[in-house]
Amino acid sequence: MSQYTAFSLDTLFDQHFFSNLDYFFARSMSQAFDEKDPIVLVSCALVSKSLFEGHICLDIKGMSGIVRPVSQTRNDRVKFPDLDTWIKALQNSLMISDTIQTPLVLDSDYKLYFSKQYDFQNRLSENIAQRVSLKSLKMDKAAIDEMLEAYFTRTDNHVMPQKNAVRNALCSHLTIISGGPGTGKTYITTVIKKMFLSYAEKRRLPEPKIICVAPTGKAASKMEQGSTIHSILKPLKNSLGFYYNKNNPLQTDVIIIDEASMIDILLFTRLLEAVPMEAKVIILGDKQQLSSIQAGSVFSDICSVKGVSFNLFLLEYNFRSKGKTGIENLSKAITGNDAQCLEDLLTSGRYPDVVFESLKGNVPVASIVKKYILEGYKSFVTSDTVEAALNELDDFKILCAHNSGEYGTLQVNHVCENILRSNNNFDIQGKLFKKIIMVNTNDYKKGLFNGDTGIAFEENGKVNVFFKTLDNTVKQYRASDLPGHDAAFAITIHKSQGSEFETVLIIIPDKLSPVITRQLLYTGVTRAKTKIIIVGNIDIIKKAINLSVKRNSGLPMCLEKLMRKKIF
């Protein structure tokens, strides 16, 4: 009897290694191509599984010959084929080739893709490589330097990366800026816009058209005249794609793209293809943050490519905290993988802006939540008007790693509602409960998008929901007319990207999972502006910073090859 589970589609499906979607995709491919080779069929299901897990492709070379558990609840293990056997099986299949003419694509580095992801990866690489290769425009550098001195009056080295980034943004076709909260990305965005306009005015040139976009409404609201990517590209009503695309580009001279780490490969490609090649593109993000919820880690992939190093600017100095706050030092300990420093910061009580609540000893999470939520959400719950309540949404937020389980958003939101409803001090007995909600689907007709946050509020005896728009007006909807939404006293750390809150309470589960990683902790901690409260087990948190999200992608290699060939 073999010591390993059989490497077959049916066996692995029966043992819950594959989802229904993975399994039936592979089965449909088997029927369409009359494919019977178990290695090929398992590979089909693996590509589907990988995409669901956020990978652009399946890394055949990396997986060949390894042994993995089939599930977390059983001791069964599966051994993957050796590289030669695996590749030969794939190369003999009619459903696989090295072009997008087949459903699956195997590249020269032995990565297996859906043809759609392979196509978008190549298109994005070509677009970026072409922008990098374009010659810098002839600009009056003396005039630019003079303007820079007016905006950057400090002479220390901390401002040099900012000045260099702004200078490059004016003179080059592509600029990439990465930095955490407080490093000046918002200020840089403002300076870039003003300098483009001032330069044109002084040189008596036409005023440049500047577009500022971000992936979510919350992120776009931090930009002056910001818009969401979807609203700028304009989704087609009765078909896939956008009104503005490669064949019908946006009318713009400059586009500034913020919170780029949240953008997946499909949307990133469609956005850049809709931007004219002669336009200047400025991309801002934080390469240390979590990647997009959808497939890919596009921004960090781009930042890792040597060929774009002259267009990349890293902002590291925090002008907001100047290295003096616990939040900043905690974030540095996380990214530096310094477990001892992290433990000291959490447990010593040395910084008033960092609080740690241990889950050791089976402390009910509800009791810890109650300890902080009554103060955290007091101003929101006691506010008398819609406008006042909306203005309190960024004061306090609970962040979770998961949606499900004892420490997930579903349970914690239930706990929050029970606590807030039953607290007599808020005098809300017998009145409609004021509830924070977050939209989880896009509704283009209503102008509501995934991640938009609002409040359910009573008005004239009816339940209405209110949202603050990008221009600071308030939109009202009937509760029954809303697209899909969830309670949002607690949200996932993934959903919190692009937002900042005065005080953040993070709940870390008492067991490790693939989700609990260095990037997750960093993203959660850096959502807090004034105070961070971390609830968890210190041993789990220390182990988590050793776990890093690695999403399989061929984007860095593909882009690097194009840069080396200088095909443009």
Side-chain angles (χ1 to χ4, degrees):
M1 183 176 180
S2 172
Q3 59 177 324
Y4 300 119
T5 293
F7 195 75
S8 78
L9 181 64
D10 289 323
T11 303
L12 291 172
F13 176 64
D14 290 341
Q15 296 188 11
H16 307 292
F17 185 76
F18 291 126
S19 68
N20 288 341
L21 177 63
D22 303 333
Y23 176 77
F24 287 108
F25 166 70
R27 275 283 160 233
S28 65
M29 294 287 282
S30 170
Q31 295 173 3
F33 289 87
D34 193 25
E35 181 61 69
K36 297 181 175 59
D37 190 321
I39 293 178
V40 176
L41 298 183
V42 171
S43 298
C44 283
L46 283 172
V47 173
S48 174
K49 180 181 175 73
S50 294
L51 186 63
F52 179 78
E53 293 172 349
H55 304 286
I56 293 176
C57 58
L58 176 67
D59 184 6
I60 302 291
K61 186 187 293 184
M63 294 184 69
S64 60
I66 68 169
V67 176
R68 280 178 56 177
V70 174
S71 71
Q72 295 180 348
T73 58
R74 301 177 56 155
N75 293 324
D76 301 294
R77 299 180 302 164
V78 58
K79 184 175 182 179
F80 292 88
D82 64 85
L83 183 60
D84 288 342
T85 302
W86 201 339
I87 295 303
K88 285 179 181 177
L90 297 178
Q91 289 176 337
N92 288 330
S93 175
L94 294 176
M95 69 175 75
I96 301 167
S97 71
D98 59 356
T99 74
I100 60 172
Q101 302 307 312
T102 50
L104 299 179
V105 179
L106 181 66
D107 73 6
S108 59
D109 198 40
Y110 305 130
K111 290 182 170 66
L112 189 63
Y113 303 76
F114 283 113
S115 59
K116 181 176 182 178
Q117 274 63 39
Y118 183 77
D119 179 42
F120 273 79
Q121 176 179 282
N122 286 345
R123 285 160 54 186
L124 180 59
S125 297
E126 289 168 1
N127 189 288
I128 293 172
Q130 187 171 348
R131 293 182 190 278
V132 172
S133 68
L134 292 172
K135 291 182 179 180
S136 298
L137 297 176
K138 291 182 179 180
M139 306 282 284
D140 186 340
K141 293 186 178 181
I144 291 174
D145 286 341
E146 183 181 344
M147 287 190 289
L148 282 171
E149 294 305 318
Y151 288 107
F152 298 97
T153 56
R154 292 173 51 157
T155 57
D156 56 78
N157 290 330
H158 297 314
V159 302
M160 287 307 297
Q162 291 188 329
K163 289 177 68 174
N164 292 335
V166 174
R167 183 184 290 110
N168 192 81
L170 267 74
C171 299
S172 300
H173 288 274
L174 178 68
T175 303
I176 304 162
I177 303 167
S178 176
T183 56
K185 297 196 302 295
T186 302
Y187 178 69
I188 279 179
T189 300
T190 302
V191 171
I192 288 171
K193 289 179 66 177
K194 288 181 177 179
M195 286 187 61
F196 268 118
L197 296 172
S198 297
Y199 184 87
E201 183 180 1
K202 289 180 179 180
R203 307 285 292 186
R204 296 183 179 179
L205 299 171
E207 182 176 302
K209 183 173 182 182
I210 303 172
I211 295 177
C212 296
V213 298
T216 65
K218 188 70 174 180
S221 67
K222 295 189 297 183
M223 310 175 77
E224 185 181 353
Q225 296 180 321
S227 303
T228 64
I229 296 173
H230 283 81
S231 65
I232 284 294
L233 294 181
K234 295 187 178 180
L236 297 173
K237 291 183 178 180
N238 300 315
S239 62
L240 296 175
F242 296 95
Y243 176 77
Y244 290 106
N245 52 57
K246 186 176 183 178
N247 298 320
N248 182 36
L250 293 160
Q251 300 299 308
T252 185
D253 301 297
V254 181
I255 185 164
I256 301 174
I257 306 164
D258 200 9
E259 295 292 348
S261 63
M262 300 172 63
I263 311 175
D264 65 86
I265 192 166
L266 302 185
L267 186 58
F268 220 128
T269 304
R270 285 173 170 141
L271 174 59
L272 288 189
E273 286 187 340
V275 178
M277 195 54 63
E278 61 272 15
K280 291 184 173 69
V281 176
I282 298 101
I283 304 172
L284 303 101
D286 185 350
K287 66 175 185 174
Q288 305 284 2
Q289 267 191 207
L290 283 166
S291 301
S292 62
I293 295 176
Q294 303 298 326
S297 51
V298 179
F299 184 72
S300 61
D301 280 352
I302 294 170
C303 290
S304 71
V305 176
K306 293 180 182 178
V308 301
S309 59
F310 290 108
N311 301 76
L312 173 64
F313 300 86
L314 303 179
L315 309 181
E316 297 177 340
Y317 182 73
N318 192 319
F319 291 89
R320 185 189 301 165
S321 61
K322 300 177 175 64
K324 297 177 180 179
T325 66
I327 292 173
E328 182 185 351
N329 286 295
L330 185 60
S331 67
K332 286 181 178 179
I334 293 169
T335 58
N337 195 18
D338 191 336
Q340 189 56 53
C341 179
L342 178 140
E343 182 174 9
D344 177 64
L345 287 165
L346 289 180
T347 60
S348 67
R350 182 152 41 102
Y351 290 98
D353 61 329
V354 174
V355 177
F356 179 64
E357 293 280 358
S358 176
L359 281 178
K360 281 188 175 180
N362 297 318
V363 178
V365 71
S367 66
I368 297 177
V369 168
K370 185 174 183 178
K371 180 178 177 180
Y372 293 100
I373 192 176
L374 292 179
E375 181 61 30
Y377 279 129
K378 182 177 181 178
S379 57
F380 166 75
V381 175
T382 58
S383 56
D384 293 325
T385 66
V386 170
E387 290 78 8
L390 287 169
N391 288 335
E392 302 294 342
L393 287 180
D394 290 342
D395 278 4
F396 179 80
K397 185 63 71 177
I398 300 176
L399 304 182
C400 303
H402 303 102
N403 282 315
S404 58
E406 181 184 358
Y407 306 101
T409 57
L410 297 176
Q411 176 62 20
V412 174
N413 271 307
H414 179 68
V415 168
C416 289
E417 289 194 38
N418 284 341
I419 292 171
L420 295 177
R421 283 180 185 276
S422 61
N423 188 63
N424 292 327
N425 292 334
F426 289 161
D427 192 28
I428 59 174
Q429 296 292 330
K431 295 162 68 175
L432 177 73
F433 180 62
K434 217 188 276 105
K435 185 174 181 178
I436 305 175
I437 63 103
M438 178 178 280
V439 175
N440 58 30
T441 58
N442 293 329
D443 189 325
Y444 301 111
K445 290 183 179 179
K446 292 186 174 66
L448 291 173
F449 300 94
N450 188 7
D452 286 352
T453 303
I455 55 169
F457 202 89
E458 183 177 19
E459 188 172 77
N460 301 323
K462 296 181 180 180
V463 181
N464 292 303
V465 183
F466 299 84
F467 295 87
K468 185 179 285 188
T469 64
L470 293 179
D471 59 1
N472 284 322
T473 59
V474 176
K475 274 190 175 182
Q476 176 180 334
Y477 301 85
R478 292 183 301 182
S480 58
D481 290 338
L482 278 187
H485 59 279
D486 301 301
F489 291 106
I491 61 175
T492 62
I493 295 175
H494 246 121
K495 285 280 190 180
S496 74
Q497 290 186 90
S499 300
E500 284 186 296
F501 309 94
E502 291 299 324
T503 299
V504 168
L505 171 65
I506 300 178
I507 302 175
I508 303 297
D510 60 352
K511 294 180 181 178
L512 279 177
S513 76
V515 173
I516 314 298
T517 63
R518 183 187 310 149
Q519 288 91 339
L520 182 101
L521 290 173
Y522 171 81
T523 303
V525 167
T526 53
R527 297 313 90 200
K529 295 176 69 174
T530 306
K531 187 175 184 179
I532 185 72
I533 305 158
I534 298 183
V535 179
N537 181 311
I538 192 65
D539 296 325
I540 297 297
I541 294 171
K542 286 166 65 177
K543 289 177 181 177
I545 67 170
N546 285 306
L547 302 176
S548 181
V549 177
K550 184 183 181 304
R551 288 187 167 180
N552 294 328
S553 164
L555 180 61
M557 184 188 73
C558 183
L559 182 52
E560 195 70 71
K561 283 183 176 179
L562 286 174
M563 298 301 298
R564 284 201 303 264
K565 288 180 180 178
K566 296 179 180 179
I567 61 173
F568 298 109

